[in-house]
Amino acid sequence: CERALDLVSDAWQVTGAVVELMSVQVRHWVKPTDIREARMATYPELGLFIGGKWRKAKQDMPVVNPATEEELGRLPCASLSDLQDAIDAAEAGLQIWSRTAPRKRADTILRAASLMRDRQEEIAQAITAEHGKPLAQARLEVIRGVEFFEWDAGEAMRMYGRVIPAARGSKLSVHHHPVGVVAAFSPWNFPMSQPARKIAGALASGCSIVLKAAEETPAGAIHIVRAFEDAGLPSGVLNLVFGTPSEISDHLIPQSAVRLVAFTGSTAVGRHLTTLASQHMTPVLMELGGHAPVIVCEDTDVEKAAISGAIRKMRNAGQVCTSPTRFFVHESIFDTFTDKFVERAAATVVGNGMDDGVEMGPLANDRRVPALTEQVEDARTAGAVVRTGGARHGETGYFFQPTVLTNVPDHAHIMREEPFGPIAVINPVSSLDDAIQKANSVDYGLAGYAFTNRADYIDHMIDNVEVGNLSINTLEASMPETPFGGVKSSGYGREGGTEGLDNYMTVKNVWHSADIA
């Protein structure tokens, strides 16, 4: 036993991840709480990053572990002076970075991406500590964020202009240039991959950026900045601030140096920021809320669709703008689908994301538990059936039970606004057209899903489902190489794919005449 414990101690020092290295026998001697504490010891020091330097601030706020409600650290809040320093630094950085060759920009981005791959475990553990998602999901998020950088680094070398045929003696050409300083805002639900989208697009295009990342989950953005610092990114090109969101947006967006506002978050906040930017003729890139429908046709594999739907609904505790939420199931398979879905949802393992086997962690903050409880009670009052869940889970931490509601009336609040939590709605429909009508009945159009093997159904949905991202027989909404964004109140502009850098560029038409007018 003593020898086994010595081996455990050595492995702990080498990897910081004992639970992956211990044998079944050694696991018996190590308490789960000891493993959690060892993992959370990797949480980074928090700071602002402005002009290539880390700094503290006079005011700070706590960062809390949502599974334990324990404080992880104190996050500095940027003052107006800090924000102005960030703008000034970004202007100076732009002069260097916009004149850097695309190949060299790509090399720097790829060096930083490689460092993030090497640091995957450290970053993932920090994300789980501050957000609560299971460690396995956090690891995948780190790699997804890295892939955004790798894709956009390639796109940096493919921002081709073009030559347009013209009359003899004239040359017509189109050129792309970096838009300038970007003010970017990323949400708390994906601490690594969401900041990565904004930073990757800006840096690949030759822009500099001031990023306001989420105060609840700052570690992902901090690790990204550290990687770029170590990769040799010039000072001022990437700046990171935290603080009171309204104060930061009210100061950054009106600045004449800011040439693009990039935001991911709620539709309400997105509308406010768009209004603020419009007063200064500043373009915006908006990835806003969703309320994703799932159309389940009568010809599909019912059990497979139900189980995959239940698993994906509970991913990230349902805190995903593309989370499948409104399931419209053909009436002939409704009972079978619902029973299988409820069975799998109820079996979801809920707990601290640092523990082995956990499939769903807590909600990100204490505000979400009463908000979801209210939505469930409103639906119940309207006549919905609560098949499983519907309440807080446990006494400590911000946990909510995996929840399934059926036969929810159209006037229930949850049918119009996404729950942003582990709640699924399953309603019967009589036909594909009935399902499409219900899918399109909300103001949002970010992602939509369908299960069918009929080619005519697929064509009909491609033409008529009002979303920016439609996935059939899969619940993946996007990849780095595909454009991602919404329609209607889900925003405009695209991130990812060959279209992903368009918002970060300006287009210049050049007409060169050999004759002097």
Side-chain angles (χ1 to χ4, degrees), residues 59 115 148 174 207 243-244 272 293 341 390 398 497 511 513:
Q59 295 185 340
L115 290 172
F148 291 143
V174 177
C207 301
T244 304
H272 170 70
F341 191 106
Y398 314 135
W511 184 346
S513 176

Side-chain angles (χ1 to χ4, degrees), residues 433-456:
D433 284 335
D434 184 20
I436 292 174
Q437 186 275 324
K438 291 182 180 299
N440 293 342
S441 65
V442 298
D443 292 335
Y444 306 100
L446 185 58
Y449 308 94
F451 288 92
T452 184
N453 296 308
R454 287 183 51 166
D456 57 336

Side-chain angles (χ1 to χ4, degrees), residues 54 67 79 307 442 469 481:
W54 292 98
S79 65
I307 292 174
V442 298
N469 309 272
E481 57 266 38

